[in-house]
Amino acid sequence: MEELTKTEERVMQIIWKLKKCFVKDIIDAMPDEPKPPYNTISSVVRILEKKEYVGYKAYGKTYEYFPLITKSEYRKESLKKMLSGYFDNSAESLFSFMLKEKQLSNEELNKIKDIINQNK
C-alpha cells in the first residue's frame, strides 16, 4: 500500500465519509475557506485512483468515486509503518511514549487496562 501525502489523506478521509461522491461533493465537504480549485481536487482524486485507493464509475465525462481501501485497512497499515519507523516495532515503546506525552485521566487508563485484559 503506497503512502499518502497529507492532502491525499485529507481527501481520502472525505471519500470514506461520503462513501460515493463526485469531485464537487468532496470540495463541498471541505471546511477550508476559500475552497480549493476543482482542478486541484480532481488531480488529487486521480492520484488516489492511480494508487488504487479509489475506484470510479463513469457517467459520460463525469466520474463518481468510491473507496477501494477501507479506513480500517489504511489505519492498520499506517500504524504498522509508524510502529516500525518510530518505535522499532515495539508496542511497549509506543504506549510508553503515549503515556509520557499525553496526561491520561484515570478513566482513560482504566479503559486501556480493560482493553488489554479483554485481549489477553
Side-chain angles (χ1 to χ4, degrees):
M1 184 179 300
E2 206 172 329
E3 209 165 326
L4 299 179
T5 66
K6 295 285 184 198
T7 302
E8 291 165 353
E9 191 172 301
R10 199 168 114 213
V11 169
M12 198 64 216
Q13 292 285 354
I14 294 169
I15 294 171
W16 280 319
K17 184 179 176 182
L18 298 175
K19 295 182 178 67
K20 290 182 185 178
C21 57
F22 298 94
V23 171
K24 183 187 178 319
D25 300 327
I26 296 168
I27 294 168
D28 289 345
M30 293 182 147
D32 299 336
E33 291 294 333
K35 301 281 186 182
Y38 183 94
N39 289 342
T40 300
I41 300 306
S42 181
S43 295
V44 172
V45 174
R46 282 195 306 274
I47 291 168
L48 290 169
E49 191 241 322
K50 285 179 188 167
K51 289 183 175 184
E52 298 182 351
Y53 279 83
V54 298
Y56 65 88
K57 184 174 181 182
Y59 299 95
K61 292 183 179 182
T62 305
Y63 298 90
E64 181 179 44
Y65 296 96
F66 53 88
L68 294 175
I69 305 283
T70 67
K71 190 174 185 177
S72 179
E73 290 170 317
Y74 182 73
R75 185 180 348 177
K76 184 178 175 181
E77 288 302 314
S78 295
L79 183 58
K80 280 183 188 177
K81 287 177 186 174
M82 184 180 67
L83 200 57
S84 68
Y86 295 102
F87 299 99
D88 300 322
N89 280 324
S90 168
E92 181 182 340
S93 292
L94 171 63
F95 283 113
S96 175
F97 174 80
M98 288 172 55
L99 290 171
K100 288 177 188 173
E101 291 299 314
K102 185 177 188 294
Q103 297 297 320
L104 298 174
S105 69
N106 285 337
E107 183 182 339
E108 289 172 313
L109 287 170
N110 287 331
K111 285 180 182 179
I112 291 169
K113 286 177 190 175
D114 289 343
I115 291 168
I116 290 168
N117 289 331
Q118 290 172 3
N119 289 291
K120 282 187 178 181

